[in-house]
């Protein structure tokens, strides 16, 4: 039976333990995702406490990281989501995403509503991809694709 967490502390503690094991074993998130058989974005989010993993994936991740049976079981639980505590984030990378939404949030909203109508883009039926590409002007660029199902608002 699928279980649900009501307090994020257990998953946060597991995330700390899992990241420490990842570091000790010099593993990439992609390697962990390959073991789980799921996308790197989803598995990374799950290990960091934002999604439950299916039982076979949870077992594979726990085995790869050297985590015990309780940790594998905890990886299967539905977490209390939200990885950024209240207020404006202070980590520079996370803050830049906050800044992007501060600058472009209303633009994204206007364009989504103009093209799709009144509704939202799902963060549940969702895919995320992060790629590094060469910048024609030199250096590198980050290409981040947020791919969510559009869910129209339904009058009732």
């Amino acid at each position: 039976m699928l279980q649900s967490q009501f307090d994020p502390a257990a998953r946060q503690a597991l995330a700390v333990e899992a990241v420490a094991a990842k570091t000790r074993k010099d593993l990439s998130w992609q390697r962990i995702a390959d073991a789980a058989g799921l996308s790197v974005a989803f598995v990374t989010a799950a290990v960091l406490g934002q999604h439950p993993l299916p039982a076979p994936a949870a077992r594979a991740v726990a085995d790869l990281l050297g985590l015990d049976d309780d940790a594998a079981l905890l990886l299967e639980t539905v977490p209390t989501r939200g990885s950024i505590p209240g207020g404006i984030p202070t980590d520079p990378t996370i803050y830049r995403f906050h800044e992007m939404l501060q600058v472009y949030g209303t633009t994204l909203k206007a364009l989504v509503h103009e093209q799709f109508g009144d509704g939202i883009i799902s963060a549940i039926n969702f895919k995320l991809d992060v790629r590094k590409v060469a910048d024609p002007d030199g250096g590198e660029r980050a290409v981040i694709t947020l791919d969510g199902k559009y869910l129209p608002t339904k009058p009732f």
Side-chain angles (χ1 to χ4, degrees):
M1 174 189 336
L2 190 60
Q3 298 293 328
S4 179
Q5 295 290 303
F6 72 94
D7 180 350
R11 288 298 295 271
Q12 287 171 347
L14 177 57
V16 169
E17 182 182 0
V19 169
K22 173 190 176 293
T23 302
R24 275 192 310 277
K25 293 174 174 278
D26 194 28
L27 297 170
S28 68
W29 287 115
Q30 185 62 61
R31 173 68 184 91
I32 297 168
D34 290 345
L38 298 167
S39 78
V40 66
F42 188 85
V43 172
T44 303
V47 172
L48 295 178
Q50 298 305 303
H51 293 303
L53 286 174
R59 179 78 266 159
V61 167
D63 288 347
L64 180 63
L65 294 174
L67 303 174
D68 64 20
D69 290 343
D70 288 340
L73 187 60
L74 190 55
L75 284 169
E76 294 179 46
T77 63
V78 177
T80 300
R81 292 179 170 98
S83 61
I84 301 172
I88 296 173
T90 57
D91 176 85
T93 303
I94 297 171
Y95 174 77
R96 291 298 176 246
F97 286 101
H98 176 78
E99 180 182 42
M100 287 176 218
L101 285 176
Q102 287 286 66
V103 173
Y104 292 104
T106 53
T107 300
L108 290 167
K109 176 182 171 48
L111 294 173
V112 165
H113 291 295
E114 183 176 283
Q115 293 179 36
F116 293 91
D118 185 17
I120 62 167
I121 299 171
S122 176
I124 301 300
N125 188 338
F126 185 81
K127 296 177 185 174
L128 167 67
D129 186 51
V130 178
R131 292 183 301 117
K132 178 170 59 172
V133 298
D135 186 333
D137 296 327
E140 298 167 334
R141 299 188 67 81
V143 176
I144 300 167
T145 303
L146 307 172
D147 179 353
K149 181 174 181 163
Y150 177 74
L151 303 170
T153 300
K154 293 184 179 183
F156 59 94

